[in-house]
Amino acid sequence: MPNSKIRNEVQSLKNVYLQMASFVMSGLALPFSDQIRAAAKLGYSGVELAGTQYGGMSAAQLKELLDECEITVLGNHLQVDDAPGAIEDMKLLGAQYIVVPGIPMSNTTEVVLAAQVLNALGKIVKEAGMMLGYHNHATEFAEENGNSLLQTLIDHTDPAYVIFECDVGWAAAAGVDVTAFIKKNTVPF
Protein backbone atom coordinates (compact mmCIF):
# COMPACT_ATOMS: atom_id res chain seq x y z
CA MET A 1 0.00 0.00 0.00
CA PRO A 2 1.56 3.32 -0.97
CA ASN A 3 2.45 5.71 1.87
CA SER A 4 -0.07 8.33 0.69
CA LYS A 5 -2.91 5.81 0.94
CA ILE A 6 -1.83 4.79 4.46
CA ARG A 7 -1.54 8.47 5.45
CA ASN A 8 -5.04 9.23 4.10
CA GLU A 9 -6.57 6.26 5.92
CA VAL A 10 -4.84 7.11 9.21
CA GLN A 11 -5.76 10.79 8.98
CA SER A 12 -9.43 9.92 8.44
CA LEU A 13 -9.46 8.46 11.96
CA LYS A 14 -8.95 10.30 15.23
CA ASN A 15 -6.21 9.42 17.68
CA VAL A 16 -4.62 6.46 15.94
CA TYR A 17 -1.40 5.27 17.53
CA LEU A 18 1.28 3.02 16.06
CA GLN A 19 2.83 0.21 18.10
CA MET A 20 6.56 0.68 17.50
CA ALA A 21 7.09 -3.08 17.45
CA SER A 22 5.34 -2.96 14.06
CA PHE A 23 8.57 -1.69 12.51
CA VAL A 24 10.53 -4.64 13.87
CA MET A 25 7.87 -7.16 12.85
CA SER A 26 7.63 -5.68 9.35
CA GLY A 27 11.36 -6.20 8.81
CA LEU A 28 11.78 -2.51 8.01
CA ALA A 29 15.28 -1.66 9.22
CA LEU A 30 15.02 2.02 10.12
CA PRO A 31 16.84 3.74 12.96
CA PHE A 32 14.50 4.42 15.88
CA SER A 33 14.44 8.18 15.30
CA ASP A 34 13.43 7.60 11.68
CA GLN A 35 10.67 5.25 12.84
CA ILE A 36 9.25 8.08 14.98
CA ARG A 37 9.50 10.48 12.03
CA ALA A 38 7.83 7.93 9.73
CA ALA A 39 4.95 7.45 12.19
CA ALA A 40 4.43 11.22 12.24
CA LYS A 41 4.71 11.54 8.46
CA LEU A 42 2.09 8.81 8.03
CA GLY A 43 -0.29 10.83 10.18
CA TYR A 44 -0.35 8.84 13.40
CA SER A 45 -1.34 10.77 16.53
CA GLY A 46 1.42 9.06 18.42
CA VAL A 47 3.14 5.83 19.24
CA GLU A 48 3.11 3.01 21.74
CA LEU A 49 6.68 2.16 22.62
CA ALA A 50 8.09 -1.31 23.15
CA GLY A 51 10.86 -1.28 25.74
CA THR A 52 13.22 1.26 27.23
CA GLN A 53 16.01 1.54 24.68
CA TYR A 54 14.61 4.43 22.54
CA GLY A 55 17.26 3.89 19.88
CA GLY A 56 20.04 5.00 22.21
CA MET A 57 18.29 8.26 23.13
CA SER A 58 17.47 9.34 26.65
CA ALA A 59 13.83 9.91 27.52
CA ALA A 60 14.50 13.68 27.37
CA GLN A 61 15.96 13.36 23.86
CA LEU A 62 13.02 11.22 22.77
CA LYS A 63 10.62 13.84 24.17
CA GLU A 64 12.36 16.51 22.05
CA LEU A 65 11.99 14.34 18.94
CA LEU A 66 8.32 13.63 19.68
CA ASP A 67 7.66 17.35 20.16
CA GLU A 68 9.51 18.13 16.91
CA CYS A 69 7.36 15.55 15.09
CA GLU A 70 4.20 16.71 16.87
CA ILE A 71 3.22 13.25 18.10
CA THR A 72 2.85 11.75 21.55
CA VAL A 73 3.55 8.55 23.44
CA LEU A 74 0.36 6.76 24.44
CA GLY A 75 2.12 4.06 26.40
CA ASN A 76 4.90 1.52 26.50
CA HIS A 77 5.04 -2.26 26.48
CA LEU A 78 7.29 -3.23 29.39
CA GLN A 79 8.02 -6.44 31.20
CA VAL A 80 6.84 -6.54 34.81
CA ASP A 81 10.37 -6.21 36.18
CA ASP A 82 11.18 -3.24 33.92
CA ALA A 83 8.03 -1.22 34.57
CA PRO A 84 8.82 0.34 37.97
CA GLY A 85 12.17 1.67 36.75
CA ALA A 86 10.57 3.23 33.68
CA ILE A 87 7.81 5.17 35.44
CA GLU A 88 9.71 8.47 35.58
CA ASP A 89 10.58 8.22 31.87
CA MET A 90 6.96 7.48 31.03
CA LYS A 91 5.82 10.49 33.04
CA LEU A 92 8.36 12.69 31.23
CA LEU A 93 7.09 11.38 27.89
CA GLY A 94 3.46 12.01 28.87
CA ALA A 95 2.45 8.36 28.59
CA GLN A 96 -0.99 7.35 29.80
CA TYR A 97 -0.32 3.60 29.97
CA ILE A 98 2.31 1.06 30.85
CA VAL A 99 1.35 -2.24 29.24
CA VAL A 100 2.68 -5.65 30.25
CA PRO A 101 3.02 -7.65 27.01
CA GLY A 102 2.32 -11.03 28.52
CA ILE A 103 3.28 -13.09 31.55
CA PRO A 104 4.05 -16.79 31.17
CA MET A 105 1.19 -18.74 32.71
CA SER A 106 -0.20 -22.16 31.92
CA ASN A 107 -2.70 -22.90 34.69
CA THR A 108 -5.13 -21.22 37.07
CA THR A 109 -2.64 -21.10 39.95
CA GLU A 110 -0.11 -19.23 37.79
CA VAL A 111 -2.85 -16.90 36.53
CA VAL A 112 -3.95 -15.98 40.06
CA LEU A 113 -0.31 -15.24 40.97
CA ALA A 114 0.06 -13.14 37.82
CA ALA A 115 -3.10 -11.22 38.77
CA GLN A 116 -1.62 -10.46 42.18
CA VAL A 117 1.55 -9.14 40.55
CA LEU A 118 -0.46 -7.03 38.09
CA ASN A 119 -2.68 -5.61 40.83
CA ALA A 120 0.35 -4.58 42.91
CA LEU A 121 2.15 -3.06 39.92
CA GLY A 122 -1.08 -1.42 38.76
CA LYS A 123 -1.40 0.36 42.09
CA ILE A 124 2.13 1.78 41.74
CA VAL A 125 1.49 2.84 38.15
CA LYS A 126 -1.82 4.48 39.07
CA GLU A 127 -0.17 6.40 41.91
CA ALA A 128 2.22 7.75 39.26
CA GLY A 129 -0.75 9.02 37.22
CA MET A 130 -0.99 6.28 34.59
CA MET A 131 -2.83 3.01 34.13
CA LEU A 132 -1.39 -0.48 33.82
CA GLY A 133 -2.57 -2.59 30.93
CA TYR A 134 -2.13 -6.22 30.00
CA HIS A 135 -1.64 -7.27 26.36
CA ASN A 136 -2.77 -10.79 25.49
CA HIS A 137 -1.49 -13.30 22.98
CA ALA A 138 -3.14 -16.51 21.78
CA THR A 139 -1.79 -18.63 24.66
CA GLU A 140 -3.95 -16.83 27.24
CA PHE A 141 -7.03 -18.28 25.56
CA ALA A 142 -6.10 -21.83 26.59
CA GLU A 143 -8.89 -23.14 28.78
CA GLU A 144 -8.86 -24.59 32.26
CA ASN A 145 -11.92 -25.26 34.41
CA GLY A 146 -14.25 -23.90 31.71
CA ASN A 147 -12.58 -20.50 31.45
CA SER A 148 -9.79 -19.16 29.34
CA LEU A 149 -6.67 -18.20 31.24
CA LEU A 150 -7.29 -14.61 30.12
CA GLN A 151 -10.83 -14.66 31.52
CA THR A 152 -9.45 -15.94 34.82
CA LEU A 153 -6.85 -13.17 34.77
CA ILE A 154 -9.55 -10.56 34.11
CA ASP A 155 -11.66 -12.01 36.93
CA HIS A 156 -8.75 -11.78 39.40
CA THR A 157 -7.47 -8.29 38.58
CA ASP A 158 -8.80 -5.08 40.01
CA PRO A 159 -10.16 -2.84 37.20
CA ALA A 160 -9.17 0.19 39.27
CA TYR A 161 -5.54 -0.82 38.66
CA VAL A 162 -5.45 -3.04 35.56
CA ILE A 163 -7.03 -2.63 32.13
CA PHE A 164 -6.70 -4.93 29.15
CA GLU A 165 -5.33 -4.25 25.68
CA CYS A 166 -7.12 -6.97 23.76
CA ASP A 167 -5.03 -8.01 20.79
CA VAL A 168 -7.86 -9.07 18.52
CA GLY A 169 -5.45 -10.65 16.04
CA TRP A 170 -4.13 -13.06 18.67
CA ALA A 171 -7.63 -13.67 20.01
CA ALA A 172 -8.88 -14.53 16.53
CA ALA A 173 -5.83 -16.77 15.97
CA ALA A 174 -6.89 -18.65 19.11
CA GLY A 175 -10.35 -19.18 17.60
CA VAL A 176 -12.12 -16.75 19.91
CA ASP A 177 -15.25 -14.85 18.92
CA VAL A 178 -13.62 -11.51 19.69
CA THR A 179 -16.81 -9.44 19.66
CA ALA A 180 -18.55 -11.81 22.08
CA PHE A 181 -15.48 -11.92 24.34
CA ILE A 182 -15.25 -8.14 24.59
CA LYS A 183 -19.02 -7.72 25.09
CA LYS A 184 -18.96 -10.36 27.85
CA ASN A 185 -16.43 -8.42 29.90
CA THR A 186 -17.12 -5.19 31.70
CA VAL A 187 -13.43 -4.37 32.28
CA PRO A 188 -11.89 -1.55 30.29
CA PHE A 189 -10.26 -2.69 27.06
Side-chain angles (χ1 to χ4, degrees):
M1 184 179 294
N3 284 346
S4 61
K5 186 172 182 185
I6 294 171
R7 183 175 38 256
N8 291 340
E9 288 180 11
V10 169
Q11 290 175 344
S12 71
L13 302 171
K14 262 192 152 171
N15 298 324
V16 177
Y17 294 82
L18 177 67
Q19 169 48 259
M20 294 299 289
S22 301
F23 284 103
V24 175
M25 290 184 232
S26 72
L28 190 59
L30 285 176
F32 185 80
S33 58
D34 289 342
Q35 294 174 19
I36 296 289
R37 288 183 182 95
K41 187 175 180 179
L42 289 169
Y44 286 95
S45 304
V47 295
E48 183 179 52
L49 301 172
T52 59
Q53 297 305 307
Y54 320 132
M57 291 183 277
S58 68
Q61 291 168 320
L62 176 55
K63 177 70 171 138
E64 288 177 20
L65 177 61
L66 292 163
D67 290 347
E68 171 192 316
C69 294
E70 299 179 347
I71 62 173
T72 62
V73 168
L74 180 64
N76 193 353
H77 278 210
L78 295 165
Q79 297 301 321
V80 168
D81 292 342
D82 296 333
I87 286 175
E88 290 307 312
D89 282 357
M90 294 302 93
K91 286 169 61 174
L92 174 70
L93 295 171
Q96 298 174 42
Y97 304 97
I98 290 177
V99 181
V100 174
I103 295 176
M105 49 190 153
S106 59
N107 60 54
T108 301
T109 300
E110 291 174 354
V111 172
V112 171
L113 290 173
Q116 292 170 354
V117 168
L118 290 172
N119 285 331
L121 180 57
K123 185 174 183 182
I124 293 167
V125 171
K126 186 168 186 173
E127 288 170 356
M130 296 171 280
M131 281 299 293
L132 182 71
Y134 183 83
H135 180 103
N136 67 276
H137 296 85
T139 56
E140 287 95 341
F141 289 100
E143 292 207 2
E144 185 174 301
N145 301 323
N147 273 327
S148 69
L149 297 178
L150 183 59
Q151 186 62 58
T152 302
L153 185 65
I154 290 168
D155 293 345
H156 285 84
T157 52
D158 184 339
Y161 299 125
V162 182
I163 63 169
F164 288 83
E165 182 181 73
C166 185
D167 187 319
V168 297
W170 282 117
V176 171
D177 178 340
V178 178
T179 302
F181 178 78
I182 292 173
K183 284 182 177 180
K184 172 184 173 184
N185 286 285
T186 58
V187 299
F189 278 101

